[in-house]
Amino acid sequence: MLRASSELAARMKEAEGFNAWACFHCGTCTALCPLGYEILPRKLFREAMLGLEDRVRASIPQIFSCLLCRMCEENCPAEVHIAENIRTLRYLINRQEFGLK
Amino acid sequence: MSLPIAPILGILSDNLRKRGSVLPLSKRTATGWARGLGLPRGGETILYTGQMYQMIPALEVMSAQMAALENSFMTRFFGIGRVFNKFVNLSFFMSLSASSEKKRHSNQVLRDIAGLLREAGVEFGYLYEEELYAGALVHDEGMDEVFANHARRVAERLKKQGVRRLITVDPHTTNILRQVYPRYVKDFDIQVQSYLEVLAEAHPEATEPVNGEVVVHDSCVYARYEKMFDQPRELLRAAGLAVRDPELSGKSSHCCGGPLESLFPAEAHRISGARVDQLEAKGKNVVTMCPICKVNLSKAAGNRLIIHDIATTLAACRRQAAPNG
């Protein structure tokens, strides 16, 4: 069973610079990622927007291993700011999980 | 066991907050490159190194240690390391054990940049020990509040010095000062340009071909964040070199893996290895324009490639073209 956190979902809505709403899951980002992680970034963003806290927490290593190289972003047809979205997730994890500001 | 993310980020954050840099350097290490150049102190136009090149020798020591610790039982003790680092600057020891040859090389790149700018008729000063690291890594890792406080500190210092224009030497410092500072620091209106842009604007006269060929590795940050990929090629061609592009170049450049060095060294090595294969397919002499790209690709390439910094290459071509100059 999946547990959704309305608090995380609300945070993602409010997060300045987070614009994954336009993503239509074409998979360009996944195909181009030099790391070759299947999860990054489309599935991850959707999980965050739905407030699936446990799923996001399980992806912490992937979130922090993103190169922020913008290869995906440069080619995203929906013009999602993927690198900035990843940074936003890092910011939230740093505050909530690691006690870092 | 993977390296623990939280304590490592904690150390970087603590260092920036308490010591003004993620990898604090002594004043001598940070400013030694300028010794004997007679650069004016301060001024409206400043060559801003952001201490990136100076950090590289210590960063190499750190990343070698991280790679050795990855998947070892020692990862459990990083939390203690963070507490210890609050009282004793651990990076000081990394800087001490860095090779003097690598320190000399980093300093020479900065001296070459200063020389190229002077030769192009650009007047500039340097802030010496007043110059601070700009904070890119802490911003990338999402520690926004620590970054914002640091950015304000840097901006105040620049304002106090009367700086109106910054000439930067690496992509990360260029991007953070040009694109990110205005979002975090109210009324930040200092003009920021990479030295490569400044040199390209000066339209260097083409020299005689020097019978050389280089493969260009674009930095992700210059190419995709700053849309700057023509200028390095123009400068290399004007210096007399033939320029070759690897399979992925310009705005489609492949990352060097450098951003993962501190948290995921094995992954960093995998990415840089893939890039080395692409570069090697086009030639042996590779030119980089970011100190992090250079160090990461050099490590992965071993003897397969010769990796140069673009400033060193440009300066060497100028010297070769005018041996008595």
Side-chain angles (χ1 to χ4, degrees), chain A residues 34-35 37 60-61 64-71 74 83-84 87 90-91 94-95 98 100-101, chain B residues 6 9 139-146 184 220 224-225 227 251-253 259-260 264 267 270-271:
Chain A
L35 287 164
Y37 291 157
I60 286 176
F64 281 92
S65 62
C66 170
L67 295 154
L68 302 183
C69 73
R70 287 196 185 175
M71 180 72 110
E74 183 69 33
E84 189 56 24
R87 255 195 22 82
R90 287 180 180 177
Y91 173 69
N94 281 334
R95 284 184 69 95
F98 300 158
L100 296 168
K101 295 178 176 178
Chain B
L9 295 185
H139 176 261
D140 284 353
E141 298 296 0
M143 293 179 281
D144 288 17
E145 285 160 40
V146 173
Y184 286 81
C220 299
R224 282 189 284 272
Y225 285 60
K227 313 290 177 207
K251 68 175 186 174
S252 299
S253 186
L260 299 187
F264 303 93
E267 279 294 86
R270 183 169 70 83
I271 302 295

Side-chain angles (χ1 to χ4, degrees), chain B residues 66 83 101 136 155 176 190 211 213 281 284 311:
Chain B
M66 291 296 194
V83 175
E101 173 56 26
I176 207 84
I190 297 174
N211 196 23
E213 187 178 272
K284 182 138 176 119

Side-chain angles (χ1 to χ4, degrees), chain B:
Chain B
M1 196 186 286
S2 308
L3 291 171
I5 298 169
I8 295 174
L9 295 185
I11 289 171
L12 299 175
S13 161
D14 295 341
N15 277 347
L16 191 70
R17 210 162 29 83
K18 287 170 71 99
R19 303 182 179 111
S21 174
V22 287
L23 203 59
L25 303 172
S26 69
K27 284 178 185 171
R28 194 176 156 201
T29 305
T31 65
W33 71 272
R35 201 169 301 128
L37 292 181
L39 299 179
R41 181 175 285 272
E44 286 199 354
T45 299
I46 291 295
L47 181 63
Y48 202 81
T49 75
Q51 299 188 2
M52 288 287 284
Y53 277 92
Q54 301 91 315
M55 272 183 209
I56 291 297
L59 201 69
E60 278 197 78
V61 174
M62 188 182 84
S63 67
Q65 287 174 351
M66 291 296 194
L69 292 172
E70 197 175 23
N71 300 318
S72 84
F73 75 99
M74 290 293 284
T75 54
R76 291 180 210 150
F77 301 108
F78 270 77
I80 299 169
R82 184 184 173 196
V83 175
F84 192 61
N85 183 67
K86 286 186 179 176
F87 304 99
V88 180
N89 175 13
L90 293 177
S91 57
F92 173 73
F93 300 103
M94 291 175 193
S95 186
L96 269 187
S97 50
S99 103
S100 50
E101 173 56 26
K102 286 183 175 159
K103 287 181 185 171
R104 193 200 60 74
H105 175 79
S106 279
N107 286 348
Q108 188 56 46
V109 174
L110 294 171
R111 293 172 78 85
D112 284 338
I113 291 170
L116 289 163
L117 287 167
R118 277 179 161 172
E119 203 181 310
V122 182
E123 288 182 12
F124 58 91
Y126 175 49
L127 294 179
Y128 293 86
E129 65 281 355
E130 290 292 316
E131 184 193 82
L132 289 171
Y133 169 66
L137 183 56
V138 166
H139 176 261
D140 284 353
E141 298 296 0
M143 293 179 281
D144 288 17
E145 285 160 40
V146 173
F147 169 74
N149 288 335
H150 182 73
R152 283 192 286 271
R153 176 153 55 138
V154 173
E156 272 167 31
R157 198 172 279 201
L158 293 173
K159 195 173 173 186
K160 199 171 148 196
Q161 298 279 336
V163 177
R164 300 295 316 139
R165 180 187 182 211
L166 294 170
I167 301 174
T168 50
V169 299
D170 72 90
H172 298 274
T173 307
T174 308
N175 173 255
I176 207 84
L177 288 168
R178 183 151 66 187
Q179 312 290 350
V180 182
Y181 269 47
R183 290 198 270 123
Y184 286 81
V185 181
K186 198 169 170 253
D187 301 327
F188 185 83
D189 60 355
I190 297 174
Q191 186 195 1
V192 180
Q193 272 187 300
S194 154
Y195 79 96
L196 294 167
E197 293 166 322
V198 174
L199 291 178
E201 272 178 18
H203 298 295
E205 281 174 32
T207 55
E208 290 297 312
V210 292
N211 196 23
E213 187 178 272
V214 287
V215 183
V216 175
H217 167 75
D218 290 281
S219 129
C220 299
V221 176
Y222 268 152
R224 282 189 284 272
Y225 285 60
E226 296 295 329
K227 313 290 177 207
M228 203 274 280
F229 36 81
D230 289 334
Q231 292 90 331
R233 289 166 174 76
E234 283 167 25
L235 292 167
L236 289 165
R237 287 194 190 103
L241 289 163
V243 173
R244 300 198 73 186
D245 284 325
E247 182 190 338
L248 293 168
S249 67
K251 68 175 186 174
S252 299
S253 186
H254 189 287
C255 184
C256 70
L260 299 187
E261 270 298 307
S262 48
L263 291 175
F264 303 93
E267 279 294 86
H269 195 69
R270 183 169 70 83
I271 302 295
S272 54
R275 183 54 164 168
V276 163
D277 290 344
Q278 293 166 12
L279 295 165
E280 195 180 27
K282 293 289 176 175
K284 182 138 176 119
N285 283 291
V286 173
V287 164
T288 57
M289 48 204 90
C290 168
I292 295 170
C293 293
K294 183 173 183 297
V295 73
N296 227 40
L297 292 172
S298 300
K299 211 167 11 169
N303 295 326
R304 289 162 62 193
L305 298 173
I306 305 168
I307 319 267
H308 310 265
D309 189 282
I310 189 169
T312 313
T313 302
L314 293 172
C317 288
R318 292 276 155 192
R319 278 193 292 271
Q320 203 176 327
N324 301 317

